[in-house]
Amino acid sequence: HRNRRVNIVICNIQMSARSGTEIVTRDLALGLKGRGHVVSVLTAQPVGVLADELRTKGVPVFGEGLEVEKPDIIHINHMDSAKELLAWFPDVPAIFVCHDATTDHSYASSQPAIKAFFGVSDACRDRVAADTGIPLAQISLLPNYIDLDLIPQRNDRLPLLPRRWLFVAEKYQSDILQPKLENVATFYRAKLDTVGPWVGKLIEDLPAHFLGYDLVFASARCAIEAAATGAGVIVCDPRGLGGFLTPALW
């Protein structure tokens, strides 16, 4: 497909907020469109800021499978969003990418049309294997990615003692972790701000927001974005603590 125009439908559970898979879907859709492909998004929640952004930039966002013309490839982030297309177009090849190892809506299912399975982490690969019975060796690792052209760079050096801290409350039960981080910030005489859906504070451009902070507490793609802006990063979320992000621990 490298030398021809391909019609691709991306299936994601929602495009109404700014969750991780929604941001990934936006970036993937715009990246593929920028390479000359025909891209659309199918989602159960087609109304919201990211859906509007995609439509403005020429990527249709549909709420019903009947609205979608027959694609060449189906890209599945969530099975529930793809069931209609898989039933109507059983001859169209599909891929499945698991973005979360625990949430119910990120389950995998072995379908004849799905020709390749991926996980964004080893834990997600394990999830796909457990859900489908497919051998782990047949499930590829497709790590989180970012578009560096969309990441602003800070002009100032980080201070020796970081005082401006930011916690990205994006994962389930982040509200349990927040008071613990506040206690740590108080001990180090730092100011902790928190953003994310679990505190009801969505940020339109999170990478740009990172420029105002010395140290960011985040995981997965958010941690990568923060590091790309030049912030110090401690990888953590309610599932555990990964520690201070260094090249050795990347």
Side-chain angles (χ1 to χ4, degrees):
H1 298 302
R2 186 177 296 275
N3 297 318
R4 75 179 180 92
R5 200 177 188 214
V6 178
N7 184 345
I8 305 164
V9 177
I10 306 172
C11 302
N12 204 70
I13 193 169
Q14 65 180 32
M15 292 300 294
S16 57
R18 292 187 182 276
S19 67
T21 56
E22 290 171 270
I23 298 293
V24 166
T25 297
R26 179 199 64 183
D27 290 355
L28 178 62
L30 294 178
L32 290 170
K33 184 176 186 299
R35 293 188 178 192
H37 300 299
V38 178
V39 187
S40 58
V41 175
L42 178 62
T43 176
Q45 298 184 35
V47 179
V49 289
L50 289 184
D52 293 342
E53 179 183 344
L54 284 175
R55 292 188 181 102
T56 299
K57 295 180 179 179
V59 176
V61 180
F62 300 112
E64 297 288 341
L66 287 172
E67 301 174 298
V68 180
E69 66 177 63
K70 186 176 181 178
D72 297 308
I73 299 173
I74 301 172
H75 177 111
I76 306 169
N77 290 332
H78 300 107
M79 289 300 306
D80 286 344
S81 301
K83 287 180 178 178
E84 288 179 313
L85 288 188
L86 293 176
W88 291 332
F89 307 121
D91 58 327
V92 173
I95 69 169
F96 175 83
V97 183
C98 179
H99 293 267
D100 194 300
T102 58
T103 56
D104 292 340
H105 59 254
S106 293
Y107 72 91
S109 176
S110 180
Q111 303 285 338
I114 302 178
K115 306 304 182 183
F117 289 86
F118 301 87
V120 300
S121 67
D122 288 333
C124 287
R125 290 178 63 235
D126 292 339
R127 165 80 180 271
V128 175
D131 286 349
T132 64
I134 296 173
L136 189 62
Q138 297 179 21
I139 303 165
S140 301
L141 179 66
L142 185 66
N144 281 299
Y145 56 85
I146 58 174
D147 184 347
L148 290 174
D149 291 337
L150 302 178
I151 305 295
Q153 299 296 305
R154 66 182 64 232
N155 297 319
D156 55 330
R157 294 175 61 87
L158 291 176
L160 293 177
L161 295 175
R163 301 297 189 191
R164 302 174 300 172
W165 295 8
L166 179 69
F167 171 43
V168 183
E170 191 263 332
K171 299 296 183 189
Y172 176 65
Q173 292 187 332
S174 289
D175 51 332
I176 297 175
L177 180 57
Q178 181 185 358
K180 298 180 180 182
L181 291 177
E182 289 174 347
N183 290 336
V184 176
T186 299
F187 180 83
Y188 284 102
R189 299 179 181 177
K191 182 180 185 300
L192 177 72
D193 292 333
T194 303
V195 298
W198 280 91
V199 292
K201 187 174 182 180
L202 298 179
I203 302 298
E204 181 174 346
D205 188 343
L206 190 58
H209 195 69
F210 288 142
L211 297 179
Y213 296 90
D214 310 318
L215 186 61
V216 176
F217 297 82
S219 64
R221 195 172 186 273
C222 290
I224 298 173
E225 288 180 334
T229 68
V233 177
I234 291 181
V235 181
C236 71
D237 63 28
R239 299 171 296 184
L241 174 66
F244 189 74
L245 182 60
T246 67
L249 295 176
W250 178 260

